[in-house]
């Protein structure tokens, strides 16, 4: 074979068309076709990536193209596929300009009913070409191509299902491209598809109307491709498809219901072949599971579209009822998960692509689209399935538990939505009573006989604890604690861990100390046996147990901490496990009396690692620094000092000497935590305050080095912020040098997050200069910036450009209020600065990479004061929108439920049509809460927020006062700047200044 390959390579380099002739003669045809494709890739086009000399001459190209077309009717499927790939490779370079006869030739082959091999070759070639069509070719091809494809799809008496499926795949690719184009060319694409939709919808109905057949992957494949095409029609041309949709709905339902019968026998019961893991000659999956998933994906599309979900009418409950049945565990899953609990955990946690996950996504979409009716449909269908499974249980059916488990899985996937309804009003089914009855009945079942049902009960009860009787919850809580330490199947322990990790954080639920100690013991043993997949779950449960058993933590710390440290060290290069281990250690540290023994245990271990970094395994130094940072957070001063004495010098050396970006980042964060915890006292701990301060400044100098890779400097912003917050008097004399270094670092950095963190430092320096902000502006003017008039011009240009990308409540609060302070100075230099304004849409059509290179984005320029005002108003608008969403959420839900066709459009613009009437006191109170640090997401980093008094600023109140004072203090300037605002921005400002 090697000699044959070498001989054909000789042919390729000396006479390219000979290899095509050999293909035609079927002499080692498959190898020849593959080699030809490789040759085309390397030698066809000189400016291609991977091109190698020599280049094929134009004469030889013409011969190869002709011979390739003559070979497309090869009866061998693999050979035909290889030739089609070669044709597609050539076409990517030569078609249509150099190869105009390609499409007419393929059309001729497609229309030749007497030669199915030729039709097959042409379709395979078109399927490859259709994936690369652009917005210029598709409108020209579709009017010619689609009728030919329709003739094939509608002729089952002539063409087999694989050929018709291939034709549908081309329809899908072309329709997808038309859908992309419709965003720009809506009228043109609608006109193009209008005469085609009806005939195709009729054909789709014809394919879907017959019951799904068992063990017929070709039937599954053609239905799957039909559903994909239907999805494109519904998504991209809803108005055209709507009139024909009722004709498709009944056949679609027939496919849905009949496929369940096949799926239950093939996959759930395992009595027939489901063709799992099998692929056709084109590499497409032929399994029943892939077809069912595609079916659910299409149902998701239509349920999520307001035009089509109404077609289901009162059948939503039936849709849920059948969907739950599809969510039963398959025989393959039962076998795989029984043998490997790790796989069970991985599939559940990662939502592995499956019918179960697809079904849960559909239920979520039903709730979103149908509102309260969707919730009631789920509750009623669930009760129906619970009752049926109970009847099967009484009949002693061996599989009664599957439907029970699937129903619990289904309701758990929409637990939040179900609980909202349970709180807001009564439904036809009492969720709490239904679940209590179910759990009570099923607890009598054998844990060894039905482990997956027990696992699901454990994980489900935690999600519905708010509507279940406390006695039932306590019973399950103690049962879960016992299960962790018992000899039960692994899935049961998995469910017990899930239950405990969610129930234990409820601090109102007191757990007797003997139970907690037993749980610690069981989890510790489980931790020793856990693999990578289950370790996360065990660690999460252990963390919850530590937090729930604060009083017991001190007694178990000597036992559990060494195990955790050992596990952390073994998995330090695995970010998921090491972070989980750190979280548990942090929970132990925060437990009463545990911080000192834990620190005394860790420091002797970490110190030698940091002092001899070259001798450590990969990741151990960086991990040790991360461990120290965890210990430093909210630690008492004596702990901070103990860590300083052991680790300050090696941590500083790490920043100054290491080239490992991970080590530099973690060392930077560790030093920031040391400064935050030690503050002014830190300077005295080393004996020479001046030397300690020089070390800290040397660290800042290296991290701000413009030649240092941006990744190494990633956390320098946080570090410098701690210096200026806690060592402000020492830093004051270095402000000029600091600002100059910040500018140089910002000009060379390649990471947006780093640039944003440096802008935060400028913002904090603005605040520190209050009430003399103009002096800080003058300082910026004196500092040069490469490519700009001065640092003020550069910083303000970058700041106003990046402000919208800054993330984190604290960061937004500090930078926004600093911009307001800058604008309040009305500094004369601001009038000389123009910054990036609005995006100019300079081109139409689909933006490709080549187009973006030729015609990059262009922006207007606008005066800096006007830009700052616009940025501030955008923040005000966001606050107003958040308040509006909270106030209108309930009414919007009711309107959507009513089915008003105009609702969606109204909602899109509701935030931009705020009334000019004076805001109420309640509205302003609501604004005062926006971006407040008391919100759950108010503070992203305790180091940033805790020590900064500016975090107490209420952004809503601040902006309200700013706009009022600005408009009253300099109304001509304020009115002038407001002229550049959009209508929505002007309304937002008017709301607060007119009160």
């Amino acid at each position: 074979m090697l000699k044959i390959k070498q001989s054909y390579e000789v042919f390729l380099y000396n006479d390219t068309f000979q290899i095509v002739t050999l293909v035609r003669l079927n002499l080692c045809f498959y190898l020849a076709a593959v080699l030809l494709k490789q040759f085309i890739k390397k030698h066809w086009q000189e400016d291609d990536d991977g091109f190698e000399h020599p280049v094929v001459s134009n004469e030889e190209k013409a011969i190869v193209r002709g011979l390739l077309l003559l070979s497309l009717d090869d009866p061998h499927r693999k050979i035909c596929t290889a030739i089609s790939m070669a044709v597609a490779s050539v076409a990517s370079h030569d078609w249509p300009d150099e190869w105009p006869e390609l499409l007419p030739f393929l059309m001729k082959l497609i229309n030749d009913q007497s030669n199915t091999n030729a039709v097959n070759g042409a379709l395979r070639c078109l399927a490859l070409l259709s994936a690369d069509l652009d917005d210029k070719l598709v409108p020209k091809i579709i009017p010619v191509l689609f009728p030919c494809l329709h003739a094939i799809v509608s002729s089952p008496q002539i063409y087999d299902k694989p050929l018709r499926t291939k034709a549908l795949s081309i329809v899908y690719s072309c329709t997808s491209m038309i859908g992309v184009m419709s965003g720009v060319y809506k009228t043109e694409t609608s006109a193009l598809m209008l005469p085609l939709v009806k005939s195709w919808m009729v054909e789709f109905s014809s394919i879907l109307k017959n019951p799904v057949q068992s063990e017929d992957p070709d039937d599954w494949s053609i239905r799957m491709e039909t559903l994909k095409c239907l999805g494109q029609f519904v998504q991209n041309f809803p108005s055209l498809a709507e009139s024909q949709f009722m004709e498709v709905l009944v056949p679609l339902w027939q496919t849905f219901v009949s496929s369940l019968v096949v799926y239950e026998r093939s996959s759930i019961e395992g009595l027939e072949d489901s063709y799992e893991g099998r692929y056709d000659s084109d590499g497409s999956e032929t399994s029943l599971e892939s077809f069912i998933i595609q079916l659910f994906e299409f149902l998701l599309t239509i349920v999520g579209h307001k035009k089509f979900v109404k077609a289901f009418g009162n059948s939503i409950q039936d849709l849920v009822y059948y969907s739950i049945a599809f969510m039963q565990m398959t025989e393959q899953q039962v076998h795989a998960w029984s043998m490997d609990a790790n796989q069970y955990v991985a599939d559940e946690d990662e939502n592995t692509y499956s019918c179960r996950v697809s079904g849960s996504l559909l239920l979520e979409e039903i709730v979103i689209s149908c509102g309260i009716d969707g919730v009631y449909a789920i509750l009623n269908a669930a009760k129906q399935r619970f009752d049926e499974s109970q009847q099967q249980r009484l009949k002693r059916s061996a599989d009664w538990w599957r439907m029970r488990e699937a129903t619990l899985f289904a309701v758990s996937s929409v637990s939040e939505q179900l609980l909202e309804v349970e709180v807001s009003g009564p439904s036809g089914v009492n969720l709490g009573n239904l679940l209590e009855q179910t759990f009570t009945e099923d607890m009598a079942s054998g844990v060894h006989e039905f482990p997956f049902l027990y696992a699901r009960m454990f994980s489900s009860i935690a999600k519905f604890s708010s509507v279940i009787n406390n006695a039932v919850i306590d019973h399950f809580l103690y049962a879960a604690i016992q299960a962790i330490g018992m000899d039960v199947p692994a899935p049961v322990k998995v469910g017990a861990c899930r239950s405990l990790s969610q129930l234990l954080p409820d601090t109102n639920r007191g757990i007797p100390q003997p139970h907690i100690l037993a749980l610690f013991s069981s989890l510790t043993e489980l931790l020793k046996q856990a693999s990578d997949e289950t370790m996360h779950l065990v660690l999460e449960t252990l963390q919850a147990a530590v937090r729930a058993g604060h009083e017991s933590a001190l007694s178990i710390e000597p036992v559990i901490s060494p195990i955790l440290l050992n596990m952390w060290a073994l998995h330090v290069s695995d970010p998921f496990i090491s972070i989980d281990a750190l979280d548990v250690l942090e929970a132990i540290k925060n437990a009463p009396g545990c911080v000192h023994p834990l620190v005394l245990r860790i420091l002797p271990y970490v110190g030698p690692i940091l002092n001899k970094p070259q001798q450590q395994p990969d990741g151990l130094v960086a991990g040790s620094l991360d461990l120290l940072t965890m210990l430093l957070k909210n630690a008492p001063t004596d702990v901070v000092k103990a860590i300083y004495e052991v680790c300050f010098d090696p941590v500083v050396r790490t920043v100054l000497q290491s080239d490992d970006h991970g080590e530099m980042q973690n060392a930077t964060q560790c030093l920031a935590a040391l400064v935050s915890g030690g503050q002014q006292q830190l300077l005295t701990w080393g004996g020479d305050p001046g030397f300690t301060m020089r070390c800290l400044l040397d660290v800042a100098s290296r991290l701000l080095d413009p030649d240092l890779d941006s990744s190494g400097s990633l956390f320098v912003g946080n570090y410098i912020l701690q210096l200026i917050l806690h060592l402000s008097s020492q830093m004051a004399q270095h402000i000029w040098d600091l600002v100059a270094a910040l500018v140089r670092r910002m000009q060379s950095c390649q990471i947006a997050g780093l640039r944003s963190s440096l802008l935060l430092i400028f913002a904090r320096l603005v605040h520190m200069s209050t009430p003399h902000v103009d002096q800080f502006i003058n300082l910026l003017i004196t500092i040069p910036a490469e490519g700009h008039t001065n640092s003020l011009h550069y910083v303000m240009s970058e700041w106003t450009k990046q402000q919208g990308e800054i993330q984190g409540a604290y960061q937004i609060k500090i930078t926004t209020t600093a911009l307001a302070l800058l604008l309040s100075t009305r500094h004369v230099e601001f009038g000389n600065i123009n910054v990036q304004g609005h995006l100019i849409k300079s081109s139409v059509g689909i933006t490709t990479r080549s187009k973006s290179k030729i015609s990059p984005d262009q922006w207007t320029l606008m005066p800096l004061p006007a830009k700052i005002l616009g940025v501030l108003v955008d923040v005000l608008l966001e606050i107003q929108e958040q308040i509006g969403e909270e106030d209108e959420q309930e009414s919007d839900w009711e309107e959507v439920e009513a089915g008003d066709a105009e609702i969606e459009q109204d909602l899109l613009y509701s935030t931009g049509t705020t009334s000019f009437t004076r805001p109420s006191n309640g509205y302003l109170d609501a604004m005062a809460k926006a971006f407040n640090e008391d919100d759950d997401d108010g503070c992203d980093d305790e180091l940033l927020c805790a020590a900064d008094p500016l975090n107490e600023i209420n952004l809503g109140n601040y902006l309200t006062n700013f706009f009022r004072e600005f408009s009253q203090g300099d109304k001509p300037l304020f009115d002038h700047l407001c002229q550049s605002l959009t209508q929505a921005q002007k309304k937002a400002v008017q709301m607060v200044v007119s009160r």
Side-chain angles (χ1 to χ4, degrees):
M1 182 60 71
L2 179 60
K3 291 182 178 179
I4 293 174
K5 183 177 184 296
Q6 291 171 342
S7 65
Y8 274 105
E9 287 174 343
V10 172
F11 275 128
L12 289 173
Y13 283 94
N14 290 285
D15 202 351
T16 55
F17 65 86
Q18 288 187 32
I19 188 68
V20 188
T21 305
L22 291 171
V23 172
R24 188 66 181 162
L25 294 173
N26 287 334
L27 298 175
C28 201
F29 35 78
Y30 183 64
L31 177 60
V34 173
L35 289 174
L36 177 60
K37 181 177 178 293
Q38 294 174 352
F39 177 75
I40 292 167
K41 184 177 180 180
K42 290 182 179 180
H43 304 285
W44 203 264
Q45 197 77 21
E46 286 188 273
D47 57 356
D48 263 10
D49 292 338
F51 171 78
E52 297 177 8
H53 284 287
V55 65
V56 182
S57 67
N58 290 332
E59 294 78 11
E60 288 180 314
K61 286 181 179 180
I63 295 172
V64 171
R65 289 194 295 258
L67 291 173
L68 279 173
L69 292 181
L70 293 176
S71 305
L72 275 173
D73 63 349
D74 195 287
H76 297 84
R77 289 289 175 100
K78 287 187 177 181
I79 307 306
C80 184
T81 299
I83 294 170
S84 299
M85 293 173 69
V87 171
S89 296
V90 174
S92 66
H93 300 295
D94 296 359
W95 182 64
D97 297 332
E98 303 297 328
W99 203 0
E101 66 272 20
L102 173 60
L103 187 60
F105 187 86
L106 294 177
M107 292 289 95
K108 181 181 177 182
L109 292 184
I110 285 177
N111 289 314
D112 185 2
Q113 295 185 356
S114 64
N115 188 351
T116 55
N117 288 331
V119 175
N120 176 58
L123 286 176
R124 287 171 180 267
C125 190
L126 280 169
L128 293 169
L129 292 176
S130 62
D132 295 320
L133 295 176
D134 61 20
D135 53 349
K136 293 183 179 178
L137 289 172
V138 169
K140 298 176 182 177
I141 291 175
I142 282 184
V144 180
L145 178 60
F146 271 35
C148 300
L149 297 174
H150 187 272
I152 294 171
V153 175
S154 61
S155 303
Q157 70 280 7
I158 301 175
Y159 303 107
D160 61 14
K161 287 177 181 175
L163 268 182
R164 294 164 64 214
T165 302
K166 183 61 65 179
L168 285 169
S169 72
I170 300 169
V171 174
Y172 170 75
S173 294
C174 292
T175 311
S176 299
M177 175 52 69
I178 289 290
V180 174
M181 293 170 55
S182 65
V184 179
Y185 305 107
K186 185 174 182 179
T187 303
E188 293 84 350
T189 54
S190 295
L192 179 66
M193 293 298 294
L194 179 60
L196 304 172
V197 168
K198 183 174 182 179
S199 61
W200 278 109
M201 295 291 276
V202 170
E203 198 53 47
F204 297 154
S205 301
S206 177
I207 293 171
L208 296 174
K209 68 181 181 182
N210 295 318
V212 175
Q213 300 300 310
S214 297
E215 302 186 56
D216 188 355
D218 289 342
D219 179 60
W220 307 337
S221 294
I222 193 169
R223 290 176 193 261
M224 184 160 58
E225 210 63 49
T226 297
L227 293 169
K228 289 170 64 177
C229 292
L230 263 171
Q232 289 299 313
F233 278 44
V234 167
Q235 285 178 305
N236 300 322
F237 308 102
S239 298
L240 300 180
E242 184 180 17
S243 60
Q244 306 295 323
F245 185 69
M246 290 306 297
E247 186 173 348
V248 176
L249 186 60
V250 174
L252 173 65
W253 190 256
Q254 174 70 13
T255 287
F256 182 56
V257 174
S258 63
S259 63
L260 176 58
V261 178
V262 176
Y263 186 70
E264 284 184 320
R265 287 188 59 79
S266 299
S267 297
I268 296 173
E269 299 172 11
L271 301 178
E272 295 175 355
D273 197 341
S274 65
Y275 290 77
E276 194 68 33
R278 301 191 196 179
Y279 300 83
D280 61 21
S281 58
D282 294 330
S284 300
E285 190 172 0
T286 59
S287 71
L288 179 61
E289 178 101 352
S290 60
F291 160 57
I292 302 298
I293 289 172
Q294 184 61 56
L295 178 57
F296 270 111
E297 189 169 323
F298 178 63
L299 290 170
L300 263 172
T301 299
I302 58 178
V303 167
H305 202 294
K306 64 177 183 178
K307 285 182 179 292
F308 298 98
V309 67
K310 292 181 292 185
F312 280 101
N314 297 323
S315 300
I316 289 294
Q317 184 172 324
D318 291 334
L319 179 61
V320 177
Y321 175 80
Y322 285 106
S323 296
I324 291 174
F326 277 108
M327 297 164 73
Q328 295 176 85
M329 290 173 60
T330 66
E331 185 62 24
Q332 183 184 32
Q333 287 170 333
V334 171
H335 176 73
W337 293 345
S338 297
M339 298 293 292
D340 187 359
N342 303 315
Q343 189 63 47
Y344 178 54
V345 173
D347 289 345
E348 290 268 312
D349 290 348
E350 298 170 12
N351 282 336
T352 303
Y353 202 53
S354 67
C355 287
R356 285 164 71 86
V357 173
S358 297
S360 65
L361 292 175
L362 180 61
L363 297 189
E364 291 176 20
E365 193 63 46
I366 286 172
V367 173
I368 293 170
S369 298
C370 303
I372 194 70
D373 289 338
V375 172
Y376 291 165
I378 292 172
L379 287 173
N380 290 323
K383 185 178 188 309
Q384 191 176 353
R385 285 299 188 186
F386 277 137
D387 292 342
E388 290 174 357
S389 63
Q390 181 65 7
Q391 292 170 10
Q392 291 297 314
R393 179 185 184 181
L394 295 175
K395 293 178 181 178
R396 300 188 181 279
S397 169
D399 290 332
W400 69 270
W401 65 271
R402 291 182 190 265
M403 191 67 74
R404 202 81 157 185
E405 190 274 345
T407 308
L408 283 174
F409 178 80
V411 296
S412 296
S413 68
V414 288
S415 58
E416 293 182 9
Q417 296 90 331
L418 296 181
L419 289 173
E420 286 177 3
V421 172
E422 189 74 14
V423 170
S424 62
S427 64
V429 176
N430 185 291
L431 178 61
N433 291 343
L434 176 64
L435 291 173
E436 283 181 19
Q437 179 184 350
T438 301
F439 292 143
T440 303
E441 291 172 352
D442 293 346
M443 277 297 286
S445 306
V447 66
H448 290 273
E449 190 176 0
F450 307 108
F452 290 106
L453 179 58
Y454 261 79
R456 185 60 54 203
M457 283 193 293
F458 276 134
S459 59
S460 298
I461 197 168
K463 293 189 175 184
F464 295 103
S465 60
S466 63
V467 294
I468 296 176
N469 185 280
N470 284 339
V472 176
I473 294 175
D474 288 341
H475 178 73
F476 268 86
L477 185 66
Y478 293 123
I481 292 175
Q482 290 177 333
I484 297 287
M486 291 171 59
D487 181 17
V488 294
V492 178
K493 294 195 176 189
V494 169
C497 283
R498 288 201 175 104
S499 180
L500 292 171
S501 66
Q502 296 179 62
L503 289 176
L504 286 175
D506 184 359
T507 54
N508 295 326
R509 194 174 304 283
I511 309 295
Q513 188 171 6
H515 287 285
I516 284 291
L517 292 176
L519 178 60
F520 281 136
S521 177
S522 300
L523 287 172
T524 303
E525 289 302 312
L526 204 56
L527 197 59
K528 295 175 183 177
Q529 307 165 18
S531 67
D532 290 357
E533 289 79 8
T534 55
M535 200 172 289
H536 165 76
L537 183 59
V538 178
L539 288 170
E540 186 178 40
T541 310
L542 187 56
Q543 181 183 354
V546 171
R547 290 178 174 173
H550 256 42
E551 294 76 10
S552 306
L554 184 59
S555 61
I556 56 92
E557 187 277 330
V559 177
I560 224 170
S561 294
I563 296 173
L564 287 167
L565 285 169
N566 184 57
M567 174 175 294
W568 168 82
L570 288 173
H571 298 87
V572 72
S573 59
D574 184 328
F576 299 104
I577 295 178
S578 61
I579 289 173
D580 288 338
L582 278 181
D583 287 342
V584 182
L585 288 169
E586 185 172 18
I588 293 173
K589 182 202 77 172
N590 294 333
C594 287
V595 62
H596 290 90
L598 185 63
V599 169
L600 291 175
R601 189 181 311 282
I602 290 175
L603 283 182
Y605 174 75
V606 169
I609 293 174
L610 298 180
N611 279 300
K612 297 180 179 179
Q614 296 84 2
Q615 302 175 15
Q616 308 305 325
D618 289 345
L620 191 55
V621 172
S624 298
L625 292 163
D626 204 14
L627 184 58
L628 287 177
T629 304
M630 178 274 293
L631 293 175
L632 286 164
K633 288 182 180 178
N634 300 317
T637 305
D638 62 329
V639 168
V640 178
K641 182 179 181 182
I643 295 174
Y644 171 91
E645 290 172 348
V646 173
C647 302
F648 180 75
D649 290 342
V651 173
V652 169
R653 279 199 305 272
T654 300
V655 178
L656 298 180
Q657 299 175 9
S658 178
D659 294 322
D660 184 289
H661 295 158
E663 293 177 4
M664 293 185 67
Q665 291 172 9
N666 288 6
T668 305
Q669 290 182 301
C670 185
L671 284 173
L674 271 171
V675 173
S676 177
Q679 304 181 20
Q680 287 286 336
Q681 296 178 63
L682 177 141
L683 297 179
T684 65
W685 288 340
D688 184 350
F691 176 77
T692 303
M693 191 66 207
R694 283 195 299 275
C695 289
L696 296 173
L697 291 173
D698 287 343
V699 167
S701 179
R702 169 135 206 246
L703 294 173
L704 292 176
D705 183 350
D707 296 327
L708 181 67
D709 188 281
S710 297
S711 182
S713 301
L714 191 59
F715 297 113
V716 65
N718 187 12
Y719 172 67
I720 293 176
L721 185 61
Q722 301 310 312
L723 292 180
I724 62 178
L725 284 175
H726 301 295
L727 305 175
S728 55
S729 58
Q730 288 82 2
M731 290 296 294
Q733 57 188 305
H734 303 288
I735 291 297
W736 196 98
D737 293 328
L738 173 62
V739 171
L742 286 169
V743 170
R744 290 193 298 270
R745 174 71 278 191
M746 199 157 77
Q747 285 194 301
S748 69
C749 80
Q750 304 297 318
I751 300 176
L754 172 57
R755 188 178 293 108
S756 295
S757 70
L758 298 179
L759 288 173
L760 176 65
I761 301 303
F762 282 110
R764 198 59 187 80
L765 291 173
V766 168
H767 279 283
M768 291 183 70
S769 65
T770 306
H772 307 294
V773 178
D774 54 338
Q775 293 182 9
F776 182 71
I777 296 173
N778 293 333
L779 181 144
L780 285 172
I781 294 173
T782 67
I783 298 174
E786 184 177 350
H788 295 266
T789 306
N790 52 53
S791 286
L792 177 66
H793 284 239
Y794 168 70
V795 170
M796 297 314 301
S797 175
E798 288 297 314
W799 192 343
T800 53
K801 188 191 306 181
Q802 298 293 326
Q803 180 64 32
E805 306 299 320
I806 292 175
Q807 298 179 355
Y810 170 81
Q811 289 86 338
I812 292 172
K813 184 183 298 185
I814 299 303
T815 53
T816 301
T817 51
L819 285 174
L821 287 173
L822 289 168
L823 185 58
S824 298
T825 65
R826 304 168 178 76
H827 197 285
V828 65
E829 187 65 17
F830 284 1
N832 300 323
I833 303 176
N834 289 320
V835 296
Q836 178 178 289
H838 305 291
L839 177 65
I840 302 172
K841 293 184 178 180
S842 55
S843 61
V844 295
I846 299 170
T847 303
T848 61
R849 279 178 292 182
S850 58
K851 280 186 180 180
S852 64
K853 289 180 181 178
I854 298 172
S855 180
D857 290 341
Q858 297 180 13
W859 301 78
T860 63
L861 289 176
M862 65 187 304
L864 175 61
K867 177 68 175 183
I868 293 178
L869 185 68
V871 168
L872 297 177
V873 178
D874 283 341
V875 178
L876 184 68
L877 262 174
E878 185 177 346
I879 295 173
Q880 291 177 347
E881 288 174 6
Q882 288 179 4
I883 297 163
E885 287 171 5
E886 292 174 3
D887 291 343
E888 298 175 12
Q889 185 176 10
E890 187 64 30
S891 60
D892 291 347
W893 180 271
E894 293 171 358
E895 290 180 85
V896 172
E897 182 188 354
D900 189 340
E902 303 300 322
I903 291 296
E904 185 175 274
Q905 192 71 10
D906 292 343
L907 289 177
L908 288 174
Y909 292 100
S910 64
T911 56
T913 56
T914 310
S915 169
F916 273 104
T917 56
R918 294 176 182 272
S920 66
N921 289 331
Y923 180 87
L924 293 175
D925 289 341
M927 267 192 65
K929 296 178 182 177
F931 283 100
N932 197 17
E933 71 281 352
D934 293 332
D935 294 344
D936 291 339
D937 60 345
C939 184
D940 310 300
D941 189 327
E942 292 179 4
L943 281 181
L944 286 176
C945 305
D948 194 346
L950 293 183
N951 197 46
E952 300 300 319
I953 291 176
N954 187 290
L955 191 54
N957 277 342
Y958 189 99
L959 289 176
T960 299
N961 293 332
F962 167 77
F963 284 115
R964 287 177 186 161
E965 292 172 5
F966 195 173
S967 63
Q968 295 168 5
D970 194 341
K971 187 165 178 50
L973 175 60
F974 182 76
D975 290 343
H976 173 71
L977 295 179
C978 283
Q979 291 176 9
S980 63
L981 300 177
T982 65
Q983 195 63 28
Q985 289 174 324
K986 290 178 181 177
K987 291 177 180 178
V989 173
Q990 184 67 23
M991 282 197 69
V992 295
V993 300
S994 62
R995 184 170 182 263

